[in-house]
Amino acid sequence: MSASCGRNPPPFPDNDDQEAELDTRVLDSDEDDDEGEDIFTGASSKPITPTSAPEEADIFSEEGSRIHHTTNGLHSDEELDLFTEATVELTLTNTTSQGRREIIGPTALACNTAHVRNSIHKPSIVNKTTEELEEEESKDQFELNVAVTNPEKMGDGMNAYMSYKVSTQTTLPMFRSKTFSVRRRFSDFLGLYEKLSAKHSLIGCIIPPPPQKSVVGMTKVKVGKEDSSSAEFVEKRRSALERYLQRVAAHPSLLQDPDVREFLERDELPRAVNTQTLSGPGLLKMINRASDAVNKKTVKMNESDNWFESKLQEVENEEQLLRKLHTAVDSLVNHRKELCSNTAVFSKSVAMLGSVEENTALSRALSQLAEVEDKLEQLQHQQAFSDFFILAELLADYVRLLGAVRCCFEQRMKAWQRLQEAQSTLQRKREAEAKLLWANKPDKLQQAKDDINEWESKVNQYERDFERVTCTVRKEVLRFEKEKTRDFKQHILKYIESLLHTQHRLVKCWEAFLPEAKAIA
Amino acid sequence: MDSSNAEAELSVTASSIRITDVTKDGDILTFAITSQKFYSSGGVCVFRTYEDFDWLQQNFFSQENVPGLQGVIFPPLPPKALPSLLNTASKSLKQLGFLALGHDWQSYCKALEFYLQQVATHPILSKCKALDSFLTKSESPGKQRGRKGILNRLSQAVEGIRKESHRDVDDFFQKERHKNTNRAALSKVATEKILDVVLTEQKLSLACGHFSTCLHLCVNQDDEAAVAFSKICLKLSDIVEAVMRNFEKVANNNISTLGLGLDLEARYEEAEKEMLFRRTCKLIELETVKKNTEKAKANKRDAMEEVQKATEKEFSLISSVAKQEIERFHSSRVTVLRSFLVGWCEKQLDTAKECAKLYSQYLDACKNLFSE
């Protein structure tokens, strides 16, 4: 069988065994003891060349314009690090370095051994057993870290847009250098998705979907509203773009795509205009989607393998479940925010009470109480942020990812449809030929034979396509499930840590207040 | 001499008064009140309804031959609870405010208990015979509506607002009135705001419960990957349940200590306000009498002067009782607030520590589970 895919399948990512230990990227400069140190060097990661010494420009650290999000008013003297729980870890250090655990997208980063083996595996595409597929995955490793930072507003008025710094650090030889960064805007990310989708979805890959457009959010930013909601929006988007890129980079086939490389490396990217909703291609896309939806319902495959049918059902069920979960977490986040504002109001009322109080000790205790409530509000705010970025966004991402998984099942169904149509066309051609033979019209016979040959080869082609898609889909789904489990595990750990962290701070608050209360006489 | 108001010692110790139980029968709540006898080792238990409390309060208002009674700051009785009308949370909150919270009328009982302890330790009110029979007689005081005291709802008078701002003759009282107005308003606001906080905490607890239940729906045994994922979801569900219980505890702590304390403070400030208002009314009465006496014709003048003297005497008695009451009030409210604040802080600290320990255990358990 000829190599039907025009390029070599890439090395497979590493398996769970060698999780990267990554530290929280600290955006707040106050706690940045590692300032200047290249956060990608770790004790154990030898391959990051010895020359990546601490002096090397740490492209992953925040530049001048730090995102402090002062609009949330969170600069307490305790330096509550807003982003401690909310950001993605990118350093490769040992677990023992800090107690913090990592949260990262599905990028399987081989910390301890970063031997980038360029040995290309060309899996034979014919039916593999699940075990064989899994085994293949554990063989190769690759290494690439990507981060999205430093959102900056460019331009002004309604033509303004946010540009983000996309930084990559890698040891893969296919890139020109080991660390580099470029600036990209949101439409560039969408453009990347379009390109990848066009090329890879047909063969059944699960393409990670990019974050959604938001007219309201962007308009606020454009208009220049400097309030906490637009800052939150930018942070939400930045984080979503980062996760998106990390998922793309974690996908072995996609990483090899020249478009991805171009996206990461090239200084200036041509503006992706066909990502605008109301553009020609945009409208076309909408129409296509609508017609797809209609088609889906009219096709019923007869499955030789039950696996696909039951898996699709599972995926659909799971999507519904995750939606429910997301709604539940969303309401939790909103209630936390409500609690924040109520606590703030209460704190003020207590402060006023303290100010009219004559008894000095009681007055002091009341104003201390107001301060305690203020701190509680900050902690609540932080926890709401954690809830959101750790849980809510995770669930939202997976709802969309499951949608992408469904798409890939649909692609397989389309391939099958094509095959069926080709087969029935072939059948008709054969019948036509038989008729001609019977009617004894030799001149048209040659044409009929040509037709049959043409369609026979088409049928063969489509058969191979279908087999390949089937195999790819199966592989992709397995990989996806593994990633999902790993992702969730990491996020849950991160979540408990954030809960614990908040709780410890809370204990300190109460311990500080108790003597004040007791001192009232 | 009316012997019903003769000086009497309370036969039970004030600190031992407890409301140990409450039962509901339709619209009527019955409270079981226990106390320890002062001179013997026995205990007493009586059953009272809100009507009985009201009767008691009325008795306090209408005591005769207690000089300067109007200068007393009467410990505030919580408003009546109407369980059948209070079938919606919002209605009950409107009526009872903070006291509507807490399981099974806990806060409400605590407030009533506090009321009894306050009256039992009051130098004037504890001597009222009605109190002793309220606390010790097994028959309920009955529906003696009896004499409605002159002190009912005085502050609701239509001209109240005008009278309230009447200039005082005494600097001490002028200042106290001003401060009291501030404190009353601010403590009321603070009580409302902590009520909001507690309600949100309860909402959060519900939301967590909902989230936790949803996670249980994720259990799926179809294949290995699904089993692994289910385990993760169940673990998260446990954690979220822990968060939920924490919110419940935090809310309860808020209700039973700080909230109760602020509510009490707010109601007490109102009681002081009413007392000051009564005194101001008396002042106005005195000034009016003085004016009339000056204007009076010679034949009526003597009588008027008698009235004036009597009014003056009343006013000065009220003022002196009021002064004592105010001082007593200030020191006791500081003590009370202190104990509530300390209790609140200790409870929250304990809950926070417990919770931190639990989270820590979960973290370890998850780390172990996930590394398998």
Side-chain angles (χ1 to χ4, degrees):
Chain A
M1 170 194 327
S2 57
S4 31
C5 33
R7 51 179 184 77
N8 296 320
F12 282 85
D14 188 54
N15 214 339
D16 304 32
D17 326 305
Q18 293 172 349
E19 297 273 348
E21 297 293 9
L22 308 164
D23 295 329
T24 320
R25 166 159 40 100
V26 174
L27 294 183
D28 190 336
S29 60
D30 302 334
E31 293 185 53
D32 204 350
D33 299 322
D34 307 311
E35 188 93 70
E37 185 188 348
D38 183 357
I39 59 175
F40 276 79
T41 47
S44 57
S45 61
K46 310 164 279 208
I48 307 268
T49 67
T51 58
S52 354
E55 308 88 61
E56 201 171 289
D58 183 4
I59 56 171
F60 283 84
S61 68
E62 287 296 324
E63 288 175 351
S65 58
R66 289 180 179 264
I67 309 172
H68 273 304
H69 291 255
T70 50
T71 45
N72 288 331
L74 281 168
H75 286 291
S76 75
D77 40 357
E78 290 183 330
E79 296 174 0
L80 293 173
D81 185 359
L82 176 62
F83 293 97
T84 313
E85 286 85 26
T87 56
V88 175
E89 301 230 354
L90 289 166
T91 31
L92 305 173
T93 59
N94 278 325
T95 343
T96 51
S97 54
Q98 291 165 31
R100 313 249 192 98
R101 294 284 290 192
E102 62 280 12
I103 164 180
I104 195 175
T107 314
L109 296 170
C111 163
N112 298 316
T113 74
H115 299 300
V116 178
R117 289 205 264 126
N118 251 340
S119 56
I120 307 291
H121 261 271
K122 202 185 202 174
S124 52
I125 299 176
V126 190
N127 303 314
K128 288 186 158 248
T129 62
T130 322
E131 298 87 62
E132 280 177 349
L133 285 172
E134 285 187 25
E135 213 192 82
E136 254 179 10
E137 284 211 352
S138 60
K139 282 193 192 139
D140 287 25
Q141 316 124 4
F142 72 107
E143 192 173 303
L144 181 134
N145 298 330
V146 63
V148 174
T149 54
N150 292 82
E152 262 172 36
K153 187 172 167 194
M154 318 279 267
D156 45 21
M158 287 313 285
N159 291 328
Y161 63 93
M162 292 303 285
S163 109
Y164 303 87
K165 181 178 170 200
V166 175
S167 318
T168 318
Q169 195 169 50
T170 178
T171 55
L172 292 174
M174 68 182 179
F175 290 97
R176 283 193 304 243
S177 51
K178 296 220 187 315
T179 50
F180 47 90
S181 64
V182 292
R183 292 212 77 98
R184 296 281 178 256
R185 51 186 291 185
F186 185 63
S187 53
D188 294 334
F189 290 81
L190 292 183
L192 178 65
Y193 173 70
E194 294 300 320
K195 291 187 197 147
L196 292 177
S197 197
K199 282 191 263 178
H200 297 268
S201 59
L202 292 176
I203 59 168
C205 273
I206 302 175
I207 320 267
Q212 284 158 332
K213 293 194 203 180
S214 164
V215 178
V216 175
M218 266 325 279
T219 314
K220 270 201 214 159
V221 171
K222 284 183 186 175
V223 162
K225 249 181 133 199
E226 289 293 325
D227 67 351
S228 59
S229 67
S230 53
E232 245 179 70
F233 171 78
V234 171
E235 172 56 23
K236 193 174 156 184
R237 178 163 275 196
R238 181 208 66 81
S239 170
L241 289 173
E242 191 172 75
R243 293 193 305 271
Y244 164 63
L245 273 190
Q246 284 167 345
R247 291 204 170 100
V248 168
H251 194 300
S253 330
L254 295 181
L255 185 58
Q256 296 292 323
D257 189 310
D259 278 326
V260 172
R261 235 177 297 156
E262 188 184 67
F263 183 88
L264 292 175
E265 269 189 331
R266 190 164 156 188
D267 285 325
E268 288 287 324
L269 216 54
R271 178 94 186 274
V273 288
N274 53 355
T275 58
Q276 287 162 344
T277 325
L278 294 180
S279 62
L283 286 172
L284 194 62
K285 219 185 334 169
M286 278 199 283
I287 294 171
N288 280 340
R289 280 216 194 103
S291 64
D292 277 352
V294 172
N295 276 342
K296 197 173 25 155
K297 293 181 172 54
T298 57
V299 169
K300 176 76 182 116
M301 278 178 75
N302 48 350
E303 286 283 4
S304 49
D305 184 0
N306 231 358
W307 188 89
F308 285 91
E309 208 171 293
S310 60
K311 229 355 144 189
L312 183 58
Q313 190 59 49
E314 237 184 80
V315 165
E316 283 173 354
N317 290 343
E318 195 161 6
E319 199 179 329
Q320 290 313 311
L321 273 172
L322 289 188
R323 267 187 218 277
K324 272 204 203 109
L325 286 178
H326 180 254
T327 315
V329 175
D330 223 16
S331 109
L332 191 61
V333 170
N334 286 337
H335 283 313
R336 278 205 199 264
K337 289 192 179 154
E338 201 187 317
L339 185 59
C340 276
S341 57
N342 284 341
T343 309
V345 169
F346 176 57
S347 162
K348 283 202 191 77
S349 70
V350 169
M352 296 220 54
L353 207 51
S355 67
V356 302
E357 178 58 50
E358 296 218 309
N359 180 304
T360 28
L362 182 56
S363 170
R364 191 173 55 235
L366 285 174
S367 42
Q368 287 287 348
L369 174 55
E371 274 181 40
V372 166
E373 291 291 321
D374 262 338
K375 287 201 190 117
L376 290 188
E377 188 230 336
Q378 286 174 3
L379 288 175
Q380 274 298 331
H381 201 111
Q382 223 189 355
Q383 190 59 53
F385 241 76
S386 291
D387 277 10
F388 179 73
F389 278 102
I390 301 177
L391 288 183
E393 288 284 77
L394 172 75
L395 290 167
D397 279 354
Y398 271 91
V399 167
R400 285 207 310 276
L401 277 167
L402 284 172
V405 174
R406 260 192 302 117
C407 279
C408 105
F409 276 84
E410 277 162 32
Q411 291 301 334
R412 179 172 170 270
M413 205 144 12
K414 280 200 198 141
W416 185 84
Q417 246 182 308
R418 273 196 299 272
L419 177 61
Q420 293 303 307
E421 281 166 10
Q423 278 172 343
S424 67
T425 310
L426 180 60
Q427 185 65 21
R428 273 187 286 120
K429 297 290 181 194
R430 287 206 171 119
E431 282 169 8
E433 188 206 29
K435 266 200 216 131
L436 287 176
L437 277 174
W438 190 81
N440 206 9
K441 288 195 184 147
D443 46 330
K444 295 212 180 132
L445 209 59
Q446 188 52 43
Q447 178 65 36
K449 284 212 190 303
D450 286 341
D451 274 353
I452 289 177
N453 284 337
E454 183 196 332
W455 280 97
E456 267 177 359
S457 69
K458 272 199 183 155
V459 165
N460 281 336
Q461 173 75 30
Y462 290 160
E463 249 171 20
R464 283 200 301 274
D465 281 349
F466 179 68
E467 272 171 22
R468 186 173 23 137
V469 171
T470 301
C471 178
T472 310
V473 168
R474 207 190 268 264
K475 210 170 51 187
E476 285 282 287
V477 168
L478 284 172
R479 191 186 72 89
F480 173 76
E481 282 182 340
K482 274 229 184 78
E483 290 295 336
K484 183 182 71 173
T485 306
R486 180 164 42 201
D487 227 353
F488 270 72
K489 277 184 187 174
Q490 286 176 340
H491 278 74
I492 290 175
L493 278 177
K494 189 88 185 170
Y495 183 61
I496 314 177
E497 279 173 359
S498 85
L499 286 176
L500 191 55
H501 185 66
T502 306
Q503 207 58 29
H504 279 148
R505 279 204 145 108
L506 201 58
V507 168
K508 284 213 187 78
C509 273
W510 295 125
E511 283 176 342
F513 180 67
L514 191 56
E516 288 293 334
K518 287 192 168 156
I520 304 172
Chain B
M1 182 84 135
D2 188 356
S3 61
S4 63
N5 282 326
E7 293 253 319
E9 285 286 339
L10 194 57
S11 61
V12 297
T13 52
S15 54
S16 68
I17 300 175
R18 296 276 180 277
I19 295 187
T20 50
D21 196 19
V22 56
T23 52
K24 186 167 95 88
D25 181 17
D27 223 3
I28 312 223
L29 292 170
T30 307
F31 305 93
I33 306 172
T34 58
S35 48
Q36 291 296 108
K37 279 248 177 240
F38 201 75
Y39 293 114
S40 66
S41 56
V44 190
C45 181
V46 294
F47 297 91
R48 299 285 180 254
T49 62
Y50 189 84
E51 249 98 23
D52 301 327
F53 278 89
D54 208 21
W55 169 88
L56 180 62
Q57 189 79 327
Q58 296 303 322
N59 261 282
F60 289 144
F61 289 158
S62 57
Q63 291 176 87
E64 292 172 354
N65 301 319
V66 176
L69 182 68
Q70 293 189 54
V72 169
I73 302 177
F74 291 90
L77 186 61
K80 182 170 182 180
L82 295 163
S84 63
L85 287 188
L86 305 181
N87 49 8
T88 59
S90 53
K91 278 202 198 131
S92 65
L93 282 176
K94 236 188 212 163
Q95 211 229 1
L96 291 180
F98 205 86
L99 300 179
L101 296 178
H103 297 296
D104 300 327
W105 307 99
Q106 282 301 314
S107 309
Y108 193 69
C109 286
K110 263 267 168 293
L112 284 175
E113 189 181 288
F114 210 78
Y115 164 77
L116 288 176
Q117 285 171 346
Q118 289 290 304
V119 295
T121 49
H122 194 283
I124 297 175
L125 299 179
S126 61
K127 301 200 172 86
C128 178
K129 215 155 170 267
L131 180 61
D132 196 57
S133 64
F134 178 91
L135 287 172
T136 56
K137 296 275 185 292
S138 45
E139 326 90 56
S140 76
K143 310 272 189 292
Q144 310 169 27
R145 273 291 159 254
R147 307 157 288 184
K148 269 264 199 281
I150 50 173
L151 306 175
N152 255 346
R153 295 281 144 221
L154 263 184
S155 55
Q156 305 305 313
V158 170
E159 325 120 354
I161 302 169
R162 186 163 52 87
K163 283 188 182 172
E164 237 175 53
S165 52
H166 185 91
R167 192 94 185 77
D168 208 300
V169 293
D170 186 332
D171 209 29
F172 170 78
F173 280 101
Q174 184 65 38
K175 284 208 184 100
E176 183 61 25
R177 278 160 64 189
H178 178 70
K179 284 185 243 165
N180 165 257
T181 309
N182 280 343
R183 282 197 315 261
L186 292 175
S187 53
K188 189 150 179 276
V189 167
T191 312
E192 284 167 9
K193 297 312 168 195
I194 197 177
L195 182 63
D196 288 338
V197 169
V198 167
L199 289 175
T200 312
E201 283 167 347
Q202 290 179 334
K203 270 194 238 169
L204 264 167
S205 170
L206 278 175
C208 285
H210 181 62
F211 181 34
S212 171
T213 318
C214 274
L215 282 165
H216 274 282
L217 295 174
C218 289
V219 175
N220 175 355
Q221 307 286 334
D222 285 346
D223 57 53
E224 205 186 296
V227 167
F229 190 66
S230 302
K231 269 204 213 146
I232 296 173
C233 286
L234 286 177
K235 216 37 192 174
L236 183 59
S237 173
D238 288 340
I239 294 163
V240 173
E241 245 185 75
V243 175
M244 170 184 84
R245 274 182 263 117
N246 184 45
F247 271 121
E248 271 171 22
K249 286 205 194 108
V250 166
N252 282 336
N253 291 344
N254 280 336
I255 294 172
S256 64
T257 55
L258 188 60
L260 199 59
L262 284 174
D263 176 76
L264 194 72
E265 162 76 7
R267 284 185 295 117
Y268 242 106
E269 295 290 345
E270 278 302 311
E272 191 195 0
K273 201 171 186 189
E274 282 176 16
M275 181 279 278
L276 290 169
F277 182 72
R278 289 193 293 269
R279 181 183 161 279
T280 309
C281 286
K282 201 61 167 178
L283 175 62
I284 294 174
E285 191 189 316
L286 180 60
E287 287 176 354
T288 316
V289 164
K290 274 194 185 148
K291 250 189 262 170
N292 290 343
T293 310
E294 277 167 27
K295 286 194 231 158
K297 298 195 185 117
N299 56 347
K300 296 231 178 107
R301 184 158 283 210
D302 284 339
M304 300 284 292
E305 276 179 4
E306 282 300 311
V307 170
Q308 186 181 319
K309 273 213 189 77
T311 316
E312 263 171 15
K313 186 155 174 253
E314 271 171 35
F315 180 69
S316 80
L317 276 173
I318 291 175
S319 294
S320 71
V321 168
K323 250 205 182 111
Q324 288 170 353
E325 284 283 281
I326 288 170
E327 263 146 34
R328 193 170 158 271
F329 173 55
H330 280 315
S331 71
S332 100
R333 64 179 273 276
V334 172
T335 317
V336 164
L337 277 175
R338 179 189 185 280
S339 82
F340 275 121
L341 282 173
V342 171
W344 174 70
C345 186
E346 283 173 347
K347 270 202 169 142
Q348 295 289 36
L349 181 58
D350 282 341
T351 305
K353 279 187 178 158
E354 238 179 73
C355 189
K357 201 158 146 222
L358 191 61
Y359 288 160
S360 180
Q361 285 171 355
Y362 272 123
L363 183 60
D364 290 334
C366 278
K367 279 185 181 165
N368 287 335
L369 177 66
F370 292 167
S371 62
E372 285 169 11

